[in-house]
Amino acid sequence: MISVEGVAIDTRHWIGGRRVASDRTFADISPIDESFLGDIAAGTAAEVDAAVAAAREAFPAWAALSAPERGAILRRVADGIDERREDLARVETRDNGSLLRSHRRGVMPRVAMNFRFFADYAEKLAHPDMEIRGHRERVTYDPAGVTAIITPWNAPLMLATWRIGPALAAGNTVVLKPPEWAPLTASLLADIAHEAGLPAGVFNVVQGIGAEAGAALSKHPGINRLSFTGSVPTAGVIAAAAAPTIVPLSFELGGKSPLLVFDDCDLDLAVDLAVEQFDNAGQVCLGAFRILVQESIAAEFQARVVEKARGLVQGDPRDEKTDVSALVSRAHLDRVSGFVDRALADGARAILGGAAPEKGLYYPPTILADAKPGSEILTEEVFGPVLTFQTFADEDEGVRMANDTRFGLAATLVTGSPEKAERVSARLNAGTVWVNCFFVRDLGAPFGGNGKSGIGREGGTYSFDFYCDVKNTVFSPNGWKESSHG
């Protein structure tokens, strides 16, 4: 047991409704000041085996409950999250360095919503019967079994519950492997779920290093679904491990998304959207870090973005005035710094920032111009507070540049023309396109990426298409006995 921001946290796994220790541990370090938070139980194949076994044992009874019965429990979990919102916000801020104000106002309310929304959705989930040559076809959504969920560190609790919510609402049981760089709120969620009456074994948490606990979970023959959020290279390793078991996969992976700014746009709005990409120190997969601006307004737009970005306050994320916090770890700081250093050596020019901090993990907001077409800084995901500026002459060139990426997670465009918005959005290769806005999405809408940005879609019915075995039952009009009553 450790105390973080005055909150007691059990650092053992949660398996089968009880706490389980491991022989080994790993250190959890806060990015705020690189201080030691505690030793966390490090799971291996043994703990994964135990968690999957517990989930499989709990599955029949949980799946047999009706959607309203499961929903009642999941809504109590949501209530528990609301009751502990401040604890969760403070712990996650300390653990991964994200802004406390964002956790309080947006992230933790969304965590609770992930349970309520999918509990409600499961109760309404239905498909109209179909008819062919007098035969009736009925589509139903059957629980699939045990869901393995592996989540990242940039929004650990929100991104975990975005999968846990629909998986449990569908009638599945869950084994969660939280990120080793930010594991603490997953442990608190286990406590909340237990207090809400979630039966033992329905939700399990195995902490550990990805190459050990994550690898064991990915290849486990006892799982029926696997959802992963993270990098493309890690997804390749997971897919290879999962291939022999033919388990269905849902991957949300990286991005190199464009912000396409046309000369007929609301310039104030465009500037605000560009600077918004520094949110969470750029550690956002959906971020539009490639700024593409039409030549006729490029000079003014660039100057205004730099001026506004200079006003961002960087510092301790627990301070309400802070806009940009630290990167999650020393290793990640070195990675981000390496991208920028190589870009500068290759001829790019820093018009803001561009140098690693002398101490701490607070990489400054950085904007690079004049990068060579096709260079690493324009094609690879940095996952830090680094934007690039490029210009385009006309609509066709802008769309071509926006689509010049192996990723396809999101795209944002800013224009004052509804007709242009329709034309351009239709041509953009992205799972989500925002027009004159950013980061707006109903939980019922599909979410996922094209290309190297992922496999599949989740959200609303799309989530249940993945977390369920969708069954079609065909009833003939013939063969019935008149005396039959059952």
Side-chain angles (χ1 to χ4, degrees):
M1 189 75 72
I2 62 174
S3 178
V4 175
E5 296 291 313
V7 180
I9 304 168
D10 198 313
T11 58
R12 297 172 293 176
H13 314 289
W14 178 256
I15 299 173
R18 64 186 184 92
R19 290 291 175 177
V20 176
S22 288
D23 293 335
R24 292 187 298 159
T25 61
F26 63 93
D28 188 22
I29 306 297
S30 173
I32 295 176
D33 52 12
E34 297 185 271
S35 61
F36 173 73
L37 297 179
D39 286 318
I40 313 299
T44 62
E47 288 81 7
V48 169
D49 284 344
V52 173
R56 294 196 70 82
E57 182 179 354
F59 172 69
W62 181 248
L65 295 177
S66 67
E69 288 172 323
R70 290 193 296 265
I73 298 173
L74 297 182
R75 291 184 193 94
R76 290 201 296 271
V77 174
D79 291 342
I81 291 167
D82 283 337
E83 290 168 6
R84 299 202 64 183
R85 182 183 300 176
E86 181 66 15
D87 287 349
L88 293 166
R90 294 185 69 84
V91 168
E92 190 142 297
T93 291
R94 187 73 166 138
D95 205 17
N96 85 333
S98 296
L99 298 183
L100 180 58
R101 73 184 190 207
S102 296
H103 283 139
R104 283 171 169 163
R105 298 171 192 172
V107 176
M108 295 310 160
R110 163 69 188 275
V111 168
M113 186 187 301
N114 284 337
F115 283 99
R116 289 197 183 96
F117 176 89
F118 287 107
D120 292 344
Y121 204 98
E123 294 182 19
K124 300 179 293 184
L125 187 64
H127 191 289
D129 284 355
M130 294 175 281
E131 188 273 336
I132 178 171
R133 298 191 300 274
H135 293 65
R136 177 169 59 90
E137 294 186 79
R138 184 183 65 202
V139 176
T140 54
Y141 294 81
D142 296 347
V146 177
T147 297
I149 299 174
I150 302 175
T151 52
W153 43 261
N154 60 321
L157 194 57
M158 190 273 285
L159 291 176
T161 55
W162 161 238
R163 276 79 186 188
I164 296 167
L168 294 182
N172 294 354
T173 53
V174 168
V175 178
L176 170 68
K177 207 297 279 185
E180 56 262 37
W181 283 350
L184 298 182
T185 49
S187 182
L188 293 178
L189 179 62
D191 293 337
I192 292 169
H194 176 64
E195 292 165 4
L198 195 69
V202 171
F203 174 59
N204 307 272
V205 179
V206 178
Q207 301 153 155
I209 306 304
E212 297 174 352
L217 187 57
S218 300
K219 67 181 181 181
H220 202 288
I223 64 173
N224 303 95
R225 295 291 188 275
L226 196 162
S227 178
F228 168 73
T229 305
S231 71
V232 172
T234 302
V237 173
I238 289 174
T245 64
I246 320 295
V247 63
L249 303 171
S250 177
F251 283 170
E252 180 202 334
L253 308 179
K256 194 67 176 178
S257 301
L259 172 60
L260 201 53
V261 181
F262 289 96
D263 61 7
D264 59 359
C265 73
D266 178 332
L267 202 56
D268 290 336
L269 173 63
V271 169
D272 287 345
L273 289 173
V275 175
E276 189 177 346
Q277 307 311 310
F278 289 118
D279 182 52
N280 203 23
Q283 299 168 127
V284 180
C285 58
L286 290 163
F289 299 111
R290 289 188 297 134
I291 310 298
L292 309 176
V293 57
Q294 199 156 8
E295 290 172 350
S296 57
I297 60 168
E300 181 182 359
F301 176 75
Q302 179 176 296
R304 291 183 58 179
V305 170
V306 170
E307 180 184 10
K308 189 174 183 68
R310 287 189 194 282
L312 295 173
V313 177
Q314 187 165 33
D316 192 317
R318 294 167 295 186
D319 188 331
E320 283 281 321
K321 297 179 182 178
T322 297
D323 300 307
V324 181
S325 183
L327 297 180
V328 72
S329 70
R330 176 63 53 179
H332 190 54
L333 174 75
D334 291 343
R335 181 180 184 275
V336 171
S337 182
F339 271 108
V340 175
D341 291 347
R342 291 190 296 274
L344 295 175
D346 195 37
R349 177 170 55 92
I351 56 178
L352 180 71
E358 294 183 3
K359 62 179 181 178
L361 304 180
Y362 296 83
Y363 198 91
T366 294
I367 302 175
L368 303 179
D370 303 333
K372 295 177 182 177
S375 61
E376 177 191 61
I377 198 68
L378 298 177
T379 58
E380 297 298 323
E381 184 179 41
V382 178
F383 218 62
V386 180
L387 308 183
T388 59
F389 270 161
Q390 297 171 272
T391 62
F392 62 90
D394 54 29
E395 184 176 314
D396 285 341
E397 185 181 27
V399 171
R400 179 187 61 75
M401 292 173 68
N403 288 338
D404 186 19
T405 173
R406 64 194 178 110
F407 297 102
L409 189 57
T412 303
L413 68 99
V414 196
T415 176
S417 166
E419 296 77 19
K420 183 180 292 182
E422 292 286 350
R423 286 196 310 270
V424 172
S425 61
R427 296 172 66 190
L428 291 175
N429 178 29
T432 299
V433 177
W434 283 292
V435 180
N436 293 340
C437 61
F438 179 67
F439 229 55
V440 179
R441 184 178 63 84
D442 187 277
L443 294 188
F447 177 73
N450 302 340
K452 298 298 183 182
S453 286
I455 298 174
R457 297 291 185 270
E458 295 191 40
T461 304
Y462 306 91
S463 287
F464 291 95
D465 286 342
F466 174 69
Y467 292 109
C468 292
D469 287 326
V470 183
K471 179 192 294 179
N472 183 36
T473 304
V474 183
F475 295 88
S476 170
N478 304 315
W480 308 106
K481 295 182 179 179
E482 291 185 7
S483 60
S484 175
H485 297 287

